[in-house]
Amino acid sequence: MAAASSSDSDSCRAESKEANSKWLDAHYDPMANIHTFSACLALADLHGDGEYKLVVGDLGPGGQQPRLKVLKGPTVLTESPLPALPAAAATFLMDQHEPRTPALALASGPCVYVYKNLRPYFKFSLPHLPPNPLEQDLWNQAKEDRIDPLTLKEMLEGIREKAEVPLSVQSLRFLQLELSEMEAFVNQHKSKAIRRQTVITTMSTLKKSLAEEDAVSCLVLGTENKELLVLDSEAFTILAKMSLPSVPVFLEVSGQFDVEFRLAAACRNGNIYVLRRDSKRPKYCIELSAQPVGLVRVHKVLVVGSTQDSLHGFTHKGKKLWTVQMPAAILTMNLLEQCSRGLQAVMAGLANGEVRIYHDKTLLNVIRTPEAVTSLCFGRYGREDNTLIMTTRGGGLIIKILKRTAVFVEGGGEVGPPPAQATKLNVPRKTRLYVDQTLREREAGTAMHRTFQTDLYLLRLRAARAYVQAIESSLSPVSAIAREPLKLHAVVQGLGPTFKLTLHLQNTSTARPILGLLVCFLYNEALYALPRAFFKVPLLVPGLNYPLETFVESLSDKGISDIIKVLVLREGQSAPLLSAHINMPVSEGLAAA
Amino acid sequence: MGLLDRLSGLLRLKKKEVNVLCLGLDNSGKTTIINKLKPSNAQSQDIVPTIGFSIAKFKSSSLSFTVFDMSGQGRYRNLWEHYYKEGQAIIFVIDSSDKLRMVVAKEELDTLLNHPDIKHRRIPILFFANKMDLRDAVTSVKVSQLLCLENIKDKPWHICASDAIKGEGLQEGVDWLQDQIQAVKT
């Protein structure tokens, strides 16, 4: 309540800013501790009293304690622990009985938990999958003690690599074990029948035969086994089973089960598959360039958010209509449906703390939130029709109410030409000096040209002379000879009187090691002492950087610094291959003493 | 006051007619409050959500009120402004237990106060912080804080905590309204 009142007094102060906003800040609680995502949020009139509640499948602070929370207004009404992490939450009408209170379905692990009136009502488990007959056979042999654990392990590994039917959980656990634990595990588990069960990844609802608000719905489940199941909501029998080439993660449903329906499933392989009634396999496939992060249907357009920070619009037949680029990564997406104005738009929660609302390609509105939003839900909450519920990354809860008078206009959030066009080019100004100079150039152009050319000749000559001299005495730290590609640089560390001198030597050839190199230091022996002034270099492997360190001790007590020369020589040749000059710093240790 | 009452009763003067607008969000208790203000034989038993608006009459000690009981549902709220001209006083009802929609009530109140028909008229506004009996209700002081009522400078206003089902707090509000109207008239 404290948070609500403070935000309210804020809104009193910033009234002018508030006036042009389309949203009313109803509630902000940064400590709400709700960690969930859009698929696990659902709004429904759970008690049939016209007061809509928010159902949250909460993962818990570290994804540790899954809980089912039901919120009424800004407060949590009930909270109950869940057996496993929730995958999706949905509310639907199961039957025609009065009062028409919707049931709440929560997919978690291989089960769908159905709650009515907030009490556990039914638990639907996915049917078991047929196990691999070879695997079954092996375990039967183990049961009769005709096979020892080691051979069982080898055979199972063989099956795992070759067979197309994956192994059961039991066999996979067995394969993980150490030798010592195997015997006990086999004895314990050999009598049990092996089972293969899959997990629900996504869930949605589909109207059964009527398209009305209060019609009976079916549940549509997507499983880890690359299947879509349509469940009858009264009897919990499987009405239809469809298979997909990949694991579905987002599901979008339209139509009615008995008449005609379309299922769009965004899968982990980055494709979206569109299925229709009576098609066991996908009819159309939309290939995205990146993984989908959300799937929303707006009228007849499928809007997909991708990990490349963009929204794409597709028709149901897989034709691309448009692409909009986002300024940050998309964290979540959901549908905004304003019934009174017949508006359907897509909301996208971005990583920079914005929530953007798009109608087709046009940006309608941007909401800035104090923290990045991870789940979004728009609909009737409490007694207010147009409520937007957001939960943040840190577990906060934000509730905003759309003003009655607010109209989303296209182009409302549009900006004009990019701001870069308004900035002036940084062209430097010319002064009188420049003009005088050009005048002189115009008058004495010939003389200037001649003098410059003569100077250039001299410069070239001197550069060539110096270069030849450097090559002759091998002064350069990079060897120019193609036969011996080498690179050398030296680093001095420390304050003195002892310095650490590190030579970095590198063979820059592609694939030829260099053998038999020597390093020799030339220095004034009155000023510096080196433990070894001459040593052998190890074999230089191409590409690696060899740091060769020595310690240099400054002997002078007068703060004199001198040059130390490093020569890299080849064994048996007196001419150095390359050399470096190191300007030794003044020894500060002596200066202080 | 008692003397005046007796005097008017003796003189059999006709009570003055006053038009009052009863506004507020849906489910705040407008119809229930007005129903409770009627004489006990005229009260209706069950209250259903108002469609559009309805007109009700009740009498206080010296005035006869005609109340436009408006529907507070979102889709009917645009009807409110059509009756602003007729209103000589406003009763604004707030559901004290609905903290979430307090901002919506504030928004509607702000649009009401900034409407050209209301803005420059000094009409009394009576607020009922209704549903005080509910457990999660906030106090009338808190309600006035949440609605920023202290910002209303040019109109007399008063806020009463009320429980419309039992009728608690209603009489106090109506007495205040009557005093204000008579003060304006004289």
Side-chain angles (χ1 to χ4, degrees), chain A residues 2 31 72 89 107 113 146 177 182-183 193 206 238-239 258 266 273 317 338 357 394 406 486 509 538 587:
Chain A
M31 313 298 275
K72 180 191 181 213
Y113 299 92
R146 283 189 291 153
L177 292 179
M182 273 181 197
E183 188 81 46
L206 168 65
I238 292 171
L239 290 176
D258 290 338
Y273 298 101
K317 292 194 170 170
Q338 196 185 1
I357 299 165
L486 274 174
S509 72
S587 166

Side-chain angles (χ1 to χ4, degrees), chain A residues 1 8 12 383-384 404, chain B residues 27 99 101 108 146 148:
Chain A
M1 198 57 236
D8 216 88
C12 284
R383 303 190 61 90
E384 196 59 43
R404 179 171 61 89
Chain B
N27 200 39
K99 280 171 238 166
R101 290 209 301 163
E108 294 298 347
L146 289 173
C148 301

Side-chain angles (χ1 to χ4, degrees), chain A residues 101-346:
Chain A
T101 52
L104 160 66
L106 209 86
S108 162
C111 305
V112 178
Y113 299 92
V114 181
Y115 292 78
K116 273 205 108 172
N117 204 7
L118 285 180
R119 287 197 184 83
Y121 174 74
F122 189 75
K123 175 181 163 185
F124 169 80
S125 293
L126 288 176
H128 293 290
L129 302 168
N132 193 337
L134 285 170
E135 186 190 354
Q136 183 88 63
D137 210 45
L138 283 173
W139 280 100
N140 282 341
Q141 285 182 26
K143 195 164 145 188
E144 291 152 19
D145 289 328
R146 283 189 291 153
I147 191 165
D148 64 300
L150 269 180
T151 27
L152 178 64
K153 180 175 181 173
E154 268 169 34
M155 305 274 275
L156 283 175
E157 268 169 355
I159 297 174
R160 181 168 67 174
E161 273 153 32
K162 273 178 247 141
E164 60 269 23
V165 181
L167 289 177
S168 65
V169 178
Q170 184 181 331
S171 301
L172 290 175
R173 255 184 68 196
F174 174 70
L175 286 182
Q176 282 184 344
L177 292 179
E178 298 288 323
L179 265 174
S180 54
E181 295 164 317
M182 273 181 197
E183 188 81 46
F185 185 86
V186 172
N187 288 336
Q188 197 187 343
H189 290 274
K190 63 187 176 186
S191 51
K192 286 186 193 162
I194 58 170
R195 283 179 188 166
R196 214 154 61 80
Q197 207 165 27
T198 183
V199 167
I200 301 168
T201 55
T202 169
M203 178 170 68
S204 184
T205 55
L206 168 65
K207 290 269 179 285
K208 185 93 174 21
S209 48
L210 295 165
E212 284 155 24
E213 183 94 332
D214 58 346
V216 173
S217 299
C218 309
L219 286 177
V220 185
L221 306 176
T223 67
E224 194 71 45
N225 195 35
K226 303 170 188 173
E227 276 184 329
L228 290 178
L229 304 175
V230 182
L231 292 188
D232 181 47
S233 58
E234 266 173 301
F236 286 100
T237 50
I238 292 171
L239 290 176
K241 198 181 232 182
M242 285 160 269
S243 59
L244 289 170
S246 178
V247 182
V249 281
F250 297 106
L251 208 56
E252 189 55 68
V253 184
S254 64
Q256 294 104 52
F257 180 77
D258 290 338
V259 191
E260 172 65 59
F261 64 88
R262 276 202 175 97
L263 295 176
C267 295
R268 275 193 203 141
N269 62 356
N271 290 358
I272 295 168
Y273 298 101
V274 182
L275 296 105
R276 294 176 69 170
R277 188 180 151 81
D278 300 328
S279 64
K280 294 282 162 208
R281 305 226 120 240
K283 201 165 164 60
Y284 303 106
C285 169
I286 306 166
E287 291 188 1
L288 301 172
S289 51
Q291 306 287 325
V293 290
L295 180 68
V296 173
R297 183 180 55 85
V298 178
H299 298 300
K300 289 191 164 177
V301 183
L302 277 175
V303 183
V304 188
S306 83
T307 48
Q308 287 173 335
D309 307 354
S310 51
L311 288 181
H312 308 280
F314 291 97
T315 62
H316 265 293
K317 292 194 170 170
K319 203 175 140 220
K320 192 174 196 168
L321 297 173
W322 46 263
T323 297
V324 187
Q325 196 62 35
M326 298 282 136
I330 303 170
L331 297 182
T332 185
M333 285 169 64
N334 213 335
L335 179 72
L336 181 146
E337 187 169 18
Q338 196 185 1
C339 298
S340 57
R341 295 189 197 272
L343 173 85
Q344 281 198 342
V346 177

